[in-house]
Amino acid sequence: MRVNRRTFLQSTAATAAAGMFSSSAWAEDPIGVASIHDLSGGLDIYGKPMVDALTLAIEEANAAGGLLGRQIKLINYDTQSNMQLYTQFAQQAALKDKVAVVHGGITSASREVIRPVLDKFKTLYFYNTQYEGGVCDRNQFDTGVTPAQTVEKLVPHAMKKWGKKVYVIAADYNYGQITSQWVKKYVTENGGEVPSIDFFPLDVTNFGPTISKIQAAKPDFVWSALVGGAHISFYRQWAAAGMRKSIPMASTTFAVGNEHIVLSPDECNGMLICYNYFQDLKNPVNEKFVASFLKRFGADYPNITELAMGTLSGVPAVGRGGEEGGERRPTQGHRGPGNRNRHRCAVRQGHDRPTDASLRARRAHR
């Protein structure tokens, strides 16, 4: 018998949620949901908007009656960009706090620390950030995009705009390493070349030698898969060296942590980026969502990121799984104005992407 991917995931989600939220298993206590994210440290630029989105989704779900008729209790853990704390808090969430669901992890390294712990204790896990693809686990659901959904679109667009010689710089861990190979694949398939791929640990702040190498290579454009607060230094040094106006740049990681808010317009204008969600999407659903988000967290909130939207999408996904498993109808909450088919585990790279995703290239500006 053939089972397609969507049917498999729907049945898996339904079975998992029905087991997690059955009244016999949990009585009438609040349903525990853990947030395991970096609220301090070098990756807090990603973690804070994700936790805010999770907070809003749960508050609105509770105001509307909760999940399966019960309130939801959010437990926040600050991992401080420390892999040991990811392991510690995953164990604490599963064993001590006995949460039903964990939303957590920002890098693929943190995901792979959390995943075996939550697998062992059969705790449902949502990973809500961009990821490199290829992960499939009955206990895990990924709401973020893969390179097949962004890199595949942005590479030919940038090459048509600027040229076929592409210099790649990337963060030195799973996501950066694998994503850079997807960039090389799509550049090559579109008739281009990648003269060099340079990797940088997440704590590197000196990019002077690399900028000199790029100047000598004379690419048509640079592809950035840099990640984290320390790597913001590259964009500042790039602009200070006068390179921003001479060699353009494309990225599927820039601005995910609101780097364009931290940097000045002179340091980042003209960057070409591609995501599945932008705060300025013009449709009634998104405008209503943005209004509610800003009402909760302040009109001066920097920018609602793609990672925040991925996190927001994960909360009602669990509820829909419970409904499909035969439980009482849960509160739906936000479906997500940018992309409604986000509840999935990527079995493979390739042409595996939602049909209604708001994937588009645009210029980043302050």
Side-chain angles (χ1 to χ4, degrees), residues 45-58:
I45 59 175
Y46 308 115
K48 289 177 180 178
M50 296 173 77
V51 173
D52 289 342
L54 189 57
T55 299
L56 176 65
I58 289 177

Side-chain angles (χ1 to χ4, degrees), residues 5 129-134 142-155 175 182 186 223 252 274-277 306 339 341-346 348-361:
R5 177 177 167 276
T129 185
Q130 295 177 333
Y131 85 117
E132 67 279 9
D142 303 285
T143 64
V145 295
T146 71
Q149 297 165 297
T150 53
V151 175
E152 184 185 23
K153 287 176 166 48
L154 187 54
V155 163
Y175 177 82
W182 283 103
Y186 293 129
W223 183 284
T252 52
C274 181
Y275 299 128
N276 65 341
Y277 175 77
E306 172 192 349
N339 183 340
N341 291 333
R342 302 289 299 286
H343 186 198
R344 67 185 187 278
C345 170
R348 61 179 179 85
Q349 283 283 355
H351 301 289
D352 183 21
R353 53 188 177 274
T355 57
D356 63 345
S358 298
L359 297 170
R360 57 193 173 96

